[in-house]
Amino acid sequence: MTGCAISTPLGPIFGSAEDQTTTGSIPAQDLRFNASMTDADWQQAKAALQAAMDPQNPGASIQWSNMATNAHGSVTPVAEPYVENKLTCRSFVAAQSGQSGGTVRGSNPAQWYQGKSCRKSGTPWSIVSVQPWALPRA
């Protein structure tokens, strides 16, 4: 067996762990309400997210549906927009019912999510955090 050891930090040669430079060569993952959403479902839900997060929206729920997969739901802003790290952000709750694969609409109960969406001025809203949300039980 042969081996090699080096006692010099390799950061200056290969880049350090702190180097978080974004090159734009790999697009950022589009965070969705859940990982099982189809691309077509997400396109419909994302359009609803854009409309719901608009600062001109007074808090109304925006509905979405994908007739091809029988998936449907809503996005509702739950707070006024605020600035965080030079981004405009807004909290939301979202619901999704139905499922890909031809499941009959209404056969699956709604799944609820809570999250935060942010954007730079003039760019689309992107989900920065989302997690399942359960309604409080009495």
Side-chain angles (χ1 to χ4, degrees):
M1 295 196 142
T2 61
C4 168
I6 190 167
S7 61
T8 303
L10 298 177
I13 298 171
F14 296 108
S16 68
E18 293 85 29
D19 185 8
Q20 301 281 328
T21 304
T22 301
T23 63
S25 59
I26 301 173
Q29 178 65 30
D30 202 6
L31 193 58
R32 303 174 182 198
F33 301 141
N34 64 62
S36 66
M37 288 185 87
T38 67
D39 289 343
D41 291 344
W42 178 234
Q43 290 307 312
Q44 298 298 318
K46 190 174 184 178
L49 176 77
Q50 298 305 312
M53 295 296 100
D54 186 324
Q56 302 302 313
N57 183 4
S61 293
I62 305 297
Q63 306 294 315
W64 66 271
S65 65
N66 181 356
M67 299 307 260
T69 63
N70 293 314
H72 58 281
S74 64
V75 181
T76 307
V78 293
E80 292 297 316
Y82 58 94
V83 176
E84 180 178 288
N85 297 325
K86 298 182 182 179
L87 299 173
T88 301
C89 298
R90 197 166 189 190
S91 298
F92 67 87
V93 293
Q96 179 184 355
S97 298
Q99 179 176 337
S100 298
T103 300
V104 177
R105 179 179 264 198
S107 65
N108 292 327
Q111 300 295 310
W112 288 89
Y113 304 94
Q114 64 183 5
K116 177 173 71 171
S117 185
C118 297
R119 73 174 181 171
K120 291 181 184 177
S121 180
T123 64
W125 293 89
S126 295
I127 296 176
V128 295
S129 66
V130 65
Q131 63 187 22
W133 180 62
L135 296 171
R137 296 185 189 244

